[in-house]
Amino acid sequence: MPARGGDATLVGVVPDVDVSSEAGLLGIVASSTFNDDRTVFASGPGAGENRIVALTIADDYASLAVGRVRLDGIRTADRHHGGPLVIGPDGMLWIGTGDDFEPENGLFPIQGVDDLRTRMT
């Protein structure tokens, strides 16, 4: 959708996003350097895990190219995926993850375990 309003135009489809009861495209945000690199980041579930991908929008906004997977291996279940994306005040990409339908994951962070659930990364 144009910044000043108007009709939305389909640019592309984020590939390989699995849809379930609370899943689909979970988050999308323009990079802090979007005017120079046309990069957007998208969050969504894939086969058994959530991931963050970088995508590039063409200069004419007519197409979308898949860049690379920026982060994968975020465990997921059928619900409570999380997935919001924000460019923080530091210009970095901040990612919120869900609790994998296990609320206790948010109460007691697992120390020393490579587990990205219930985190701001």
Side-chain angles (χ1 to χ4, degrees):
M1 177 174 294
R4 294 191 173 109
D7 295 332
T9 302
L10 179 65
V11 174
V13 176
V14 178
D16 303 321
V17 172
D18 288 348
V19 177
S20 69
S21 59
E22 292 182 3
L25 182 62
L26 301 171
I28 192 162
V29 66
S31 73
S32 59
T33 55
F34 179 81
N35 288 337
D36 298 323
D37 62 20
R38 297 301 221 223
T39 298
V40 295
F41 301 103
S43 170
E49 65 181 20
N50 287 345
R51 65 184 192 278
I52 312 302
V53 297
L55 308 162
T56 304
I57 297 177
D59 288 339
D60 63 0
Y61 295 98
S63 62
L64 180 72
V66 178
R68 63 185 176 108
V69 174
R70 298 298 305 247
L71 179 67
D72 61 6
I74 305 169
R75 287 179 49 190
T76 187
D78 190 34
R79 293 181 218 112
H80 298 204
H81 289 268
L85 302 176
V86 175
I87 300 298
D90 55 1
M92 302 296 289
L93 175 64
W94 294 19
I95 303 161
T97 61
D99 65 12
D100 191 21
F101 203 52
E102 296 177 19
E104 63 276 10
N105 290 333
L107 298 175
F108 306 104
I110 305 167
Q111 300 298 321
V113 175
D114 190 19
D115 190 337
L116 298 172
R117 295 173 295 173
T118 70
R119 306 291 190 268
M120 282 298 293
T121 305

